[in-house]
């Protein structure tokens, strides 16, 4: 009899605890899902702006398909240089590129002039390039990341 009284007294407390834990967990999952959705939306907006920048500044040399001419202009599509040398890639878009580089095992030695883009524009075009054609990067290039890249 004492056990039954104790059980009925403790039971609502335990239920309340488990309910609070469960709803807190669900609430945290909702916040995580919202955060992921917001980050994906930010990336999609950046990619859209980057597409316009690519068309205006990059497509003349790297072509609409991102493959370059494979003689003087390196490919951006499937470029190991973009993924392995992320900071140098950002630096090249931000300040231009001069001198030899190796992309996908092939050497290129040409000049890419500075484009005069803002940090936001560099981030946007990098997000476009790194998520177009066969490129699929999960880490978004941010304006803060671009701002932290200095000229050599």
């Amino acid at each position: 009899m004492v056990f039954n009284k104790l059980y009925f007294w403790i039971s609502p407390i335990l239920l309340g605890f488990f309910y609070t834990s469960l709803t807190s967990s669900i609430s945290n999952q909702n916040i995580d899902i919202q955060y992921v959705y917001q980050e994906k939306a930010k990336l999609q907006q950046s990619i859209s702006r980057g597409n316009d920048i690519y068309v205006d500044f990059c497509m003349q040399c790297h072509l609409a398909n991102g493959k370059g001419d494979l003689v003087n202009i390196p490919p951006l599509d499937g470029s190991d240089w973009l993924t392995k040398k992320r900071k140098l890639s950002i630096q090249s878009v931000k300040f231009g590129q001069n001198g030899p580089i190796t992309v996908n095992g092939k050497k290129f030695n040409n000049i890419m002039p500075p484009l005069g883009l803002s940090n936001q524009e560099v981030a946007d075009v990098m997000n476009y390039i790194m998520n177009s054609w066969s490129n699929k990067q999960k880490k978004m290039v941010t304006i803060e990341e671009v701002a932290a890249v200095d000229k050599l």
Side-chain angles (χ1 to χ4, degrees):
M1 188 78 153
V2 171
F3 175 74
N4 284 343
K5 287 181 181 178
L6 186 61
Y7 175 78
F8 284 111
W9 182 75
I10 293 176
S11 178
I13 294 171
L14 289 175
L15 261 156
F17 173 75
F18 287 123
Y19 175 78
T20 302
S21 296
L22 180 62
T23 56
S24 175
S25 175
I26 291 170
S27 176
N28 287 342
Q29 288 177 356
N30 285 340
I31 291 170
D32 290 344
I33 291 168
Q34 284 177 335
Y35 176 77
V36 168
Y37 177 75
Q38 289 171 349
E39 289 303 303
K40 283 186 176 183
K42 284 182 193 175
L43 177 59
Q44 289 306 315
Q45 291 167 354
S46 178
I47 289 170
S48 179
R49 291 188 305 263
N51 177 50
D52 294 339
I53 296 164
Y54 185 84
V55 168
D56 289 344
F57 291 93
C58 313
M59 193 167 68
Q60 299 148 335
C61 297
H62 293 283
L63 308 178
N65 61 10
K67 296 195 183 295
D69 68 2
L70 300 178
V71 176
N72 296 307
I73 310 298
L76 301 174
D77 178 23
S79 169
D80 65 346
W81 199 72
L82 284 173
T83 54
K84 292 179 181 177
K85 300 187 180 208
R86 181 178 172 106
K87 185 176 178 181
L88 283 174
S89 297
I90 293 169
Q91 190 174 54
S92 293
V93 174
K94 187 173 178 178
F95 299 110
Q97 169 64 37
N98 189 349
I101 62 170
T102 302
V103 179
N104 300 338
K106 183 170 180 174
K107 291 190 182 214
F108 293 88
N109 190 3
N110 208 344
I111 296 172
M112 181 174 117
L115 305 173
L117 301 175
S118 71
N119 288 340
Q120 182 66 63
E121 291 169 323
V122 171
D124 290 342
V125 78
M126 286 297 299
N127 285 319
Y128 172 76
I129 290 166
M130 295 177 95
N131 288 282
S132 293
W133 314 295
S134 66
N135 301 336
K136 303 295 175 226
Q137 290 292 305
K138 294 186 181 195
K139 184 179 176 193
M140 182 174 170
V141 177
T142 64
I143 190 170
E144 294 82 11
E145 183 179 8
V146 173
V149 173
D150 295 323
K151 194 172 185 177
L152 280 177

Tab-separated table of all heavy atoms in Angstrom, residues 97-124:
chain	number	residue	atom	x	y	z
A	97	GLN	N	45.710	35.894	-60.694
A	97	GLN	CA	46.649	34.760	-60.640
A	97	GLN	C	47.736	34.981	-61.670
A	97	GLN	O	47.457	35.328	-62.810
A	97	GLN	CB	45.890	33.454	-60.917
A	97	GLN	CG	46.755	32.241	-61.142
A	97	GLN	CD	47.560	31.855	-59.922
A	97	GLN	OE1	47.080	31.964	-58.798
A	97	GLN	NE2	48.787	31.429	-60.127
A	98	ASN	N	48.969	34.778	-61.246
A	98	ASN	CA	50.113	34.954	-62.130
A	98	ASN	C	51.101	33.836	-61.838
A	98	ASN	O	51.452	33.606	-60.701
A	98	ASN	CB	50.750	36.321	-61.857
A	98	ASN	CG	51.815	36.677	-62.867
A	98	ASN	OD1	52.239	35.844	-63.652
A	98	ASN	ND2	52.235	37.928	-62.831
A	99	GLY	N	51.552	33.161	-62.867
A	99	GLY	CA	52.545	32.112	-62.683
A	99	GLY	C	51.953	30.718	-62.801
A	99	GLY	O	50.747	30.542	-62.950
A	100	PRO	N	52.839	29.725	-62.732
A	100	PRO	CA	52.398	28.349	-62.981
A	100	PRO	C	51.548	27.776	-61.844
A	100	PRO	O	51.790	28.042	-60.676
A	100	PRO	CB	53.718	27.586	-63.109
A	100	PRO	CG	54.714	28.389	-62.355
A	100	PRO	CD	54.264	29.821	-62.463
A	101	ILE	N	50.551	27.016	-62.254
A	101	ILE	CA	49.754	26.221	-61.317
A	101	ILE	C	49.508	24.857	-61.970
A	101	ILE	O	49.594	24.723	-63.198
A	101	ILE	CB	48.405	26.885	-60.954
A	101	ILE	CG1	47.503	27.056	-62.180
A	101	ILE	CG2	48.607	28.210	-60.252
A	101	ILE	CD1	46.074	27.478	-61.845
A	102	THR	N	49.226	23.875	-61.151
A	102	THR	CA	48.913	22.540	-61.652
A	102	THR	C	47.482	22.198	-61.259
A	102	THR	O	47.139	22.223	-60.078
A	102	THR	CB	49.892	21.493	-61.084
A	102	THR	OG1	51.224	21.864	-61.443
A	102	THR	CG2	49.597	20.102	-61.623
A	103	VAL	N	46.679	21.897	-62.260
A	103	VAL	CA	45.271	21.550	-62.038
A	103	VAL	C	45.027	20.175	-62.648
A	103	VAL	O	45.302	19.961	-63.834
A	103	VAL	CB	44.323	22.590	-62.675
A	103	VAL	CG1	42.869	22.198	-62.462
A	103	VAL	CG2	44.598	23.985	-62.124
A	104	ASN	N	44.562	19.269	-61.822
A	104	ASN	CA	44.283	17.901	-62.259
A	104	ASN	C	45.495	17.271	-62.960
A	104	ASN	O	45.360	16.583	-63.969
A	104	ASN	CB	43.048	17.846	-63.163
A	104	ASN	CG	41.802	18.353	-62.474
A	104	ASN	OD1	41.714	18.381	-61.251
A	104	ASN	ND2	40.823	18.761	-63.255
A	105	GLY	N	46.677	17.560	-62.440
A	105	GLY	CA	47.911	16.976	-62.965
A	105	GLY	C	48.488	17.677	-64.177
A	105	GLY	O	49.529	17.280	-64.687
A	106	LYS	N	47.846	18.722	-64.654
A	106	LYS	CA	48.326	19.441	-65.833
A	106	LYS	C	48.774	20.839	-65.436
A	106	LYS	O	48.107	21.525	-64.676
A	106	LYS	CB	47.205	19.524	-66.877
A	106	LYS	CG	47.678	20.198	-68.141
A	106	LYS	CD	46.692	20.082	-69.261
A	106	LYS	CE	47.335	20.811	-70.424
A	106	LYS	NZ	46.697	20.756	-71.636
A	107	LYS	N	49.925	21.259	-65.980
A	107	LYS	CA	50.463	22.590	-65.667
A	107	LYS	C	49.859	23.642	-66.583
A	107	LYS	O	49.711	23.436	-67.782
A	107	LYS	CB	51.982	22.596	-65.798
A	107	LYS	CG	52.650	21.770	-64.732
A	107	LYS	CD	54.137	21.955	-64.711
A	107	LYS	CE	54.695	21.049	-63.641
A	107	LYS	NZ	55.810	21.540	-62.953
A	108	PHE	N	49.556	24.779	-65.943
A	108	PHE	CA	49.063	25.952	-66.673
A	108	PHE	C	49.911	27.127	-66.218
A	108	PHE	O	50.274	27.232	-65.049
A	108	PHE	CB	47.589	26.231	-66.334
A	108	PHE	CG	46.655	25.169	-66.824
A	108	PHE	CD1	46.379	24.067	-66.036
A	108	PHE	CD2	46.061	25.261	-68.070
A	108	PHE	CE1	45.513	23.076	-66.479
A	108	PHE	CE2	45.210	24.283	-68.523
A	108	PHE	CZ	44.927	23.179	-67.727
A	109	ASN	N	50.252	28.012	-67.158
A	109	ASN	CA	51.055	29.180	-66.811
A	109	ASN	C	50.544	30.364	-67.621
A	109	ASN	O	51.006	30.627	-68.722
A	109	ASN	CB	52.538	28.933	-67.072
A	109	ASN	CG	53.407	30.025	-66.498
A	109	ASN	OD1	52.927	30.952	-65.849
A	109	ASN	ND2	54.699	29.920	-66.734
A	110	ASN	N	49.560	31.031	-67.054
A	110	ASN	CA	48.950	32.155	-67.730
A	110	ASN	C	48.649	33.227	-66.685
A	110	ASN	O	48.924	33.035	-65.501
A	110	ASN	CB	47.666	31.713	-68.443
A	110	ASN	CG	47.359	32.574	-69.653
A	110	ASN	OD1	47.895	33.668	-69.818
A	110	ASN	ND2	46.474	32.092	-70.506
A	111	ILE	N	48.095	34.310	-67.109
A	111	ILE	CA	47.762	35.405	-66.197
A	111	ILE	C	46.247	35.553	-66.122
A	111	ILE	O	45.574	35.607	-67.155
A	111	ILE	CB	48.386	36.730	-66.668
A	111	ILE	CG1	49.904	36.637	-66.640
A	111	ILE	CG2	47.896	37.895	-65.830
A	111	ILE	CD1	50.612	37.821	-67.272
A	112	MET	N	45.740	35.596	-64.898
A	112	MET	CA	44.345	35.969	-64.680
A	112	MET	C	44.393	37.316	-63.980
A	112	MET	O	44.879	37.418	-62.855
A	112	MET	CB	43.633	34.939	-63.800
A	112	MET	CG	42.173	35.266	-63.565
A	112	MET	SD	41.336	33.943	-62.679
A	112	MET	CE	40.898	34.835	-61.196
A	113	PRO	N	43.934	38.355	-64.639
A	113	PRO	CA	44.028	39.687	-64.030
A	113	PRO	C	43.094	39.812	-62.831
A	113	PRO	O	42.094	39.102	-62.736
A	113	PRO	CB	43.605	40.636	-65.151
A	113	PRO	CG	42.756	39.805	-66.044
A	113	PRO	CD	43.269	38.396	-65.944
A	114	PRO	N	43.408	40.739	-61.921
A	114	PRO	CA	42.473	41.002	-60.824
A	114	PRO	C	41.160	41.516	-61.403
A	114	PRO	O	41.154	42.302	-62.357
A	114	PRO	CB	43.165	42.070	-59.984
A	114	PRO	CG	44.442	42.398	-60.655
A	114	PRO	CD	44.591	41.567	-61.882
A	115	LEU	N	40.061	41.049	-60.838
A	115	LEU	CA	38.754	41.379	-61.387
A	115	LEU	C	38.095	42.569	-60.699
A	115	LEU	O	37.067	43.059	-61.158
A	115	LEU	CB	37.842	40.149	-61.312
A	115	LEU	CG	38.402	38.892	-61.988
A	115	LEU	CD1	37.514	37.688	-61.709
A	115	LEU	CD2	38.560	39.119	-63.485
A	116	GLY	N	38.662	43.018	-59.590
A	116	GLY	CA	38.100	44.161	-58.872
A	116	GLY	C	36.798	43.849	-58.159
A	116	GLY	O	35.942	44.724	-58.002
A	117	LEU	N	36.637	42.595	-57.720
A	117	LEU	CA	35.413	42.191	-57.044
A	117	LEU	C	35.476	42.492	-55.556
A	117	LEU	O	36.548	42.447	-54.947
A	117	LEU	CB	35.179	40.688	-57.234
A	117	LEU	CG	35.062	40.180	-58.678
A	117	LEU	CD1	34.945	38.661	-58.708
A	117	LEU	CD2	33.875	40.823	-59.372
A	118	SER	N	34.324	42.766	-54.969
A	118	SER	CA	34.238	42.936	-53.514
A	118	SER	C	34.368	41.565	-52.845
A	118	SER	O	34.253	40.521	-53.507
A	118	SER	CB	32.897	43.565	-53.135
A	118	SER	OG	31.845	42.628	-53.337
A	119	ASN	N	34.593	41.556	-51.545
A	119	ASN	CA	34.682	40.296	-50.816
A	119	ASN	C	33.390	39.481	-50.972
A	119	ASN	O	33.440	38.261	-51.108
A	119	ASN	CB	34.984	40.539	-49.332
A	119	ASN	CG	36.408	40.995	-49.111
A	119	ASN	OD1	37.285	40.800	-49.950
A	119	ASN	ND2	36.658	41.612	-47.985
A	120	GLN	N	32.239	40.162	-50.948
A	120	GLN	CA	30.961	39.464	-51.118
A	120	GLN	C	30.879	38.831	-52.501
A	120	GLN	O	30.451	37.692	-52.656
A	120	GLN	CB	29.782	40.413	-50.901
A	120	GLN	CG	28.425	39.736	-51.014
A	120	GLN	CD	28.188	38.725	-49.915
A	120	GLN	OE1	28.139	39.096	-48.753
A	120	GLN	NE2	28.039	37.458	-50.260
A	121	GLU	N	31.309	39.569	-53.526
A	121	GLU	CA	31.268	39.040	-54.889
A	121	GLU	C	32.215	37.861	-55.059
A	121	GLU	O	31.884	36.887	-55.748
A	121	GLU	CB	31.600	40.148	-55.893
A	121	GLU	CG	30.520	41.204	-55.995
A	121	GLU	CD	30.951	42.424	-56.776
A	121	GLU	OE1	32.136	42.844	-56.673
A	121	GLU	OE2	30.089	42.989	-57.494
A	122	VAL	N	33.381	37.933	-54.428
A	122	VAL	CA	34.327	36.808	-54.482
A	122	VAL	C	33.703	35.581	-53.824
A	122	VAL	O	33.744	34.473	-54.377
A	122	VAL	CB	35.674	37.167	-53.810
A	122	VAL	CG1	36.565	35.938	-53.678
A	122	VAL	CG2	36.394	38.266	-54.599
A	123	ALA	N	33.116	35.761	-52.659
A	123	ALA	CA	32.462	34.640	-51.964
A	123	ALA	C	31.355	34.050	-52.833
A	123	ALA	O	31.249	32.823	-52.976
A	123	ALA	CB	31.913	35.099	-50.617
A	124	ASP	N	30.556	34.910	-53.439
A	124	ASP	CA	29.440	34.436	-54.260
A	124	ASP	C	29.920	33.664	-55.485
A	124	ASP	O	29.409	32.574	-55.773
A	124	ASP	CB	28.564	35.611	-54.706
A	124	ASP	CG	27.782	36.235	-53.563
A	124	ASP	OD1	27.627	35.596	-52.496
A	124	ASP	OD2	27.328	37.395	-53.726
